[in-house]
Amino acid sequence: MASHAHDDAHDAHHDDHHHELSFWEKYIFSTDHKTIGIQYAITGLLFLLFGFCLMMVMRWQLAHPGTAMPVIGPILGSLPVIKDHFPGGVMSPDGYNEFGAMHGTIMVFFGIVPIAFAAFGNFVVPLQIGAPDMTFPRINMASYWTFFISCVIMLASFLVPGGAAKSGWTSYPPLAGIADLGPAYHWFFNGQSLWLTGMIFNITASLLGAVNFIATIIQLRAPGMTWMRLPFFVWAQFITAFLLLLAFPPLEAAGIFQFMDRVFGTSFFMPTGLVVQQQLTDWSGGGSPLLWQHLFWFLAHPEVYVLILPGIGIIAEVVANNTRKPIYGYKAMVGAIFVLGFLSFIVWAHHMYMTGMGAKVATFFQITTVVISIPSVILITALLLSLWGASIRFTVPMLFATAFMPMFGIGGLTGIPLAFNTVDLYLHDTYYIIAHFHYIVAPGTIFAIFAGVYHWFPKATGRMMNEFLGRVHFWLSLIFINGLFFPMFLQGMAGVHRRWADGGGADLDHLTYELARPVLHWNPFMSYAAFLLGAAQIPFIFNFFWSIWNGRKVGRNPWEATTLEWDAPSPPPHGNFDKEIAVYRGPYEYSVPGAETDFTPQSEPTGSKTPVVAPVVHAPLSAH
């Protein structure tokens, strides 16, 4: 009773010093890490949907080249800015390039990274380490709003004359340097320049977030939360933050240089003697297009692990909770992500075998690319072995987690042949690459994102998502996502190029490329699978928003989990916890022999023992 009285007095004292927040302070310009995490999640999910819609329009063009897409085609053909790319509602090659470039950019930089890293990291990490908030709450808010500005700029690029960027999501010069030639060539308001501006803001937001995550995990751990008591998800976010911090600055510098090439006429990446439309261009020249590739891929290969590591962290939490046993090889998994993070910085040039690098340099990157598969195998093997002998609860999060493992395995194994330059020279820029990469990030990382949404939704809202709709969403997604991506391996091995706007030909009697004949029939099949995959997301969208207000109410720990976030109320209040938090044990003490229940929370004292207190420096919360 005395303890409750003390808590009540503490809460009253707390309220005296925190005025009631306005709507704008609480939900829009909030410094609360949970609100910022939800802002990132909603924005990222909307961009995932938008990027997916761009892909479905492209898939219609590949299934039925030269035919207007029902309903959507005439609408696109009537819009003032992009109607030139959809004459009569039919997608032109320029329209295909535009949608392709923006699909890749939006899905990676504006969808998956904001959700997997920023949204889940912001909401979950402070709760899992027992912190009251992020170390720098105002920088955290600035991170989201810088990201939001980048979103506005990227969307605005669709509305300028000539439409959005068309030089691929990699923005390779010299093509990216000469895109949108015309009266506005040396000016700001064209698609490619806005793409660069949006990316510069996007990268800045990621850097702000990365610094905040590193500082928070180092400084704000609860008493007793030693390094090897951290949940694996926190380790994954920690390494991911370092990848962003070290890899994004080279790309930001490169983006600024390419922007100067376009707007101010410099030649960082523009070569001497470039002829465009039979006319010598007026660049001073002397730049190197290959320099852009080095700077881009020095970021973009660690970026692959920025996509993957948070997803594996989510899967580890879900697997431990639903197998009711500790993760197999926790320390080996932590060591593996350290090795993986280091190696990710010395494999980038395997994307550049086509540039004609020497045999010795190619050999180095072939070796490091093969070696980097070892920590990835350790991670996926540990997760698979965690299933052995377990009493598995096949909840909706666990369905997505178990599907993640073989899907990620397919993506990883199909990448090994690409490590060798002799194979890559043939498969480069074919649909094999698309299939390999998408198995990593679609049934891989995006399935992990869905697992995380279903798993932590009750913590964020105090309500459960509907189980039946979740299962419908899972099974339909699993079937159609394989129908979409697996045939791409077959097309890629036949040599079908990823940038053919008609997929190789209108039909078997009107081929653009004869080599596509044996595999052309897969185009309609994959496209219909894409449309059905889009329809399969409708149960999730309805379930997500309906459950916010109408889902079954739950308490603090509906999953009977062990990590600290489940000690907080659902949803957590400002400051996160309504009691003192100390850590006495590791993160996954499930089914401990002799325990009264099959889960022992980290915050439960171990008899008379006191926790090992780690040095903790708590940064003051901003005054809300």
Side-chain angles (χ1 to χ4, degrees), residues 322 393-400 454-455 457-458 463-475 539-540 542-544 546-547 550-552 554 558-559:
N322 288 283
R393 304 186 309 191
F394 281 106
T395 61
V396 174
M398 190 60 178
L399 289 174
F400 279 101
Y454 284 102
H455 183 67
F457 186 89
R463 297 177 183 269
M464 295 288 284
M465 294 182 72
N466 182 274
E467 183 88 2
F468 173 75
L469 290 176
R471 292 177 184 276
V472 170
H473 173 221
F474 166 74
W475 285 110
F540 169 75
F542 173 80
N543 194 2
F544 184 88
W546 183 87
S547 298
N550 300 291
R552 176 171 59 86
V554 294
W559 303 118

Side-chain angles (χ1 to χ4, degrees), residues 30-33 36 133-142 212 619-622 624:
S30 173
T31 56
D32 189 303
H33 72 97
I36 293 169
D133 206 318
M134 298 290 272
T135 306
F136 307 115
R138 295 186 186 279
I139 290 179
N140 205 21
M141 179 184 72
N212 217 349
L621 292 175
S622 61
H624 286 254

Side-chain angles (χ1 to χ4, degrees), residues 455-528:
H455 183 67
W456 281 302
F457 186 89
K459 179 52 57 180
T461 65
R463 297 177 183 269
M464 295 288 284
M465 294 182 72
N466 182 274
E467 183 88 2
F468 173 75
L469 290 176
R471 292 177 184 276
V472 170
H473 173 221
F474 166 74
W475 285 110
L476 293 179
S477 296
L478 179 64
I479 293 167
F480 296 129
I481 210 164
N482 281 283
L484 170 58
F485 294 122
F486 195 81
M488 291 183 182
F489 286 121
L490 307 179
Q491 286 197 329
M493 288 186 286
V496 176
H497 200 280
R498 65 193 292 188
R499 292 191 173 90
W500 292 345
D502 62 358
D507 52 55
L508 293 176
D509 297 322
H510 301 87
L511 293 174
T512 309
Y513 300 92
E514 178 63 31
L515 63 86
R517 182 183 295 275
V519 292
L520 193 64
H521 64 279
W522 285 114
N523 278 336
F525 179 88
M526 291 187 292
S527 296
Y528 297 143

